[in-house]
């Protein structure tokens, strides 16, 4: 296993954070912690936290910092084999809260332009059963409605409508992109071009983790 076990993935919506985080977790044994997946699960189960989060998510806005830090802090502390954080932190205030929880080994920034994001996310489908991520344009499954891994139903996320995607990108530029400089200043940042195929991006990540 890589000695680097406390990882963060940063990047605009659709850059491939979830796709890569799943592969990193499978390859290295660290825990994949996605604030977006946790929030969608809370919304799906109709919990009070889901009720708080839903409106923000449907508009493509960020859920308030304290709600997120309270939700994820304990899971990060409990991840004994290490973690790959996908979608957290997303503001400087969240990054400062993460500093209080512990140190990081590396922050990987995956970048992608607004138009590439729109093209990717309008074609994204996710398996309701196992969470596997597909893309109808770039790597379509044999049947666009059925997961090849578990036979589950492939669905479109509610925030993958073009107007919401564009707002999510604006929110990223305004509130999350400053984290790139924040982590570069601390010597933790590695930048990867998200335009290459997902295998090429993963190979680059493996190089980073093996260095
Ligand atoms: P979240 O679920 O984190 O969404 P996001 O950051 O917008 O990221 P996505 O999941 O859309 O994209 P991704 O980068 O994971 O890309 P993927 O791998 O799927 O958050 C959702 C909402 O929750 C937020 O808007 C907010 O409201 C709330 N929230 C979450 N965390 C929060 C926080 N910390 N603070 C406050 N609010 C928070 O890939 C995208 C597509 O591209 C797929 O179809 C995939 O197959 C394809 N693909 C991936 N890589 C490649 C490649 N290299 N080449 C071609 N296709 C590729």
């Amino acid at each position: 296993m890589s000695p680097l076990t406390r990882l963060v993935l940063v990047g605009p919506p659709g850059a491939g954070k979830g796709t890569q985080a799943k592969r990193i977790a499978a390859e290295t044994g660290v825990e994949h912690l996605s604030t977006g997946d946790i929030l969608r699960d809370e919304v799906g189960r109709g919990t009070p936290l889901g009720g708080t989060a839903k409106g923000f998510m449907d508009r493509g806005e960020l859920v308030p910092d304290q709600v997120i830090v309270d939700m994820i802090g304990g899971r990060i502390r409990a991840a004994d084999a290490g973690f790959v954080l996908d979608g957290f932190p997303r503001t400087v205030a969240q990054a400062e809260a993460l500093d209080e929880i512990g140190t990081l080994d590396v922050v990987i920034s995956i970048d992608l332009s607004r138009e590439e994001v729109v093209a990717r996310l309008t074609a994204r489908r996710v398996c309701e059963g196992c969470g596997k991520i597909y893309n109808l344009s770039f790597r379509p499954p044999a049947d666009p409605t059925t997961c090849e891994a578990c036979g589950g139903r492939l669905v479109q996320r509610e925030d993958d409508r073009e107007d919401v995607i564009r707002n999510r990108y604006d929110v990223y530029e305004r509130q999350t992109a400053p984290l790139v400089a924040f982590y570069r200043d601390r010597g933790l940042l590695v930048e990867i071009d998200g335009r290459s195929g997902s295998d090429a991006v993963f190979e680059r990540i493996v190089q980073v983790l093996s260095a």
Side-chain angles (χ1 to χ4, degrees):
M1 186 163 66
S2 165
L4 307 181
T5 58
R6 302 168 66 86
L7 322 176
V8 168
L9 299 185
V10 177
K17 302 181 297 296
T19 300
Q20 299 301 333
K22 284 183 171 59
R23 292 183 72 170
I24 293 168
E27 180 82 13
T28 68
V30 301
E31 190 168 349
H32 174 200
L33 292 173
S34 158
T35 41
D37 286 350
I38 297 167
L39 289 168
R40 279 183 288 280
D41 178 61
E42 297 280 346
V43 171
R45 290 187 292 116
T47 65
L49 170 55
T52 303
K54 186 174 184 334
F56 293 102
M57 296 175 79
D58 286 349
R59 293 190 299 277
E61 304 289 338
L62 295 187
V63 175
D65 288 332
Q66 198 55 50
V67 173
I68 296 291
V69 172
D70 290 346
M71 176 184 88
I72 194 81
R75 296 180 196 233
I76 297 172
R77 288 191 182 88
D80 293 333
F83 52 76
V84 52
L85 299 180
D86 159 13
F88 177 84
R90 232 170 168 108
T91 62
V92 170
Q94 291 181 19
E96 289 169 348
L98 180 56
D99 274 348
E100 304 285 317
I101 297 172
T103 56
L104 296 174
D105 293 326
V106 65
V107 175
I108 297 173
S109 165
I110 307 176
D111 201 16
L112 202 65
S113 74
R114 180 184 302 264
E115 293 316 314
E116 283 162 319
V117 162
V118 171
R120 272 194 198 176
L121 289 186
T122 48
R124 172 168 59 184
R125 297 294 181 273
V126 184
C127 175
E128 263 185 343
C130 69
K132 190 168 162 60
I133 302 166
Y134 291 88
N135 196 284
L136 299 187
S137 303
F138 299 103
R139 196 186 268 184
D143 172 353
T145 62
T146 307
C147 177
E148 290 171 347
C150 76
R153 197 165 64 105
L154 300 185
V155 296
Q156 188 163 26
R157 266 173 48 174
E158 299 213 353
D159 59 351
D160 278 349
R161 289 199 337 253
E162 185 170 339
D163 56 329
V164 181
I165 295 168
R166 289 188 184 280
N167 189 41
R168 286 161 60 199
Y169 202 94
D170 290 342
V171 167
Y172 169 78
E173 288 190 317
R174 212 168 45 238
Q175 296 184 259
T176 308
L179 291 181
V180 171
F182 179 95
Y183 284 120
R184 187 186 291 122
D185 289 349
R186 291 164 177 234
L188 286 170
L189 191 78
V190 174
E191 293 178 84
I192 295 182
D193 185 341
R195 285 174 303 177
S196 11
S198 60
D199 289 345
V201 172
F202 185 64
E203 275 168 34
R204 179 76 188 95
I205 291 174
V206 169
Q207 281 172 4
V208 169
L209 298 185
S210 316

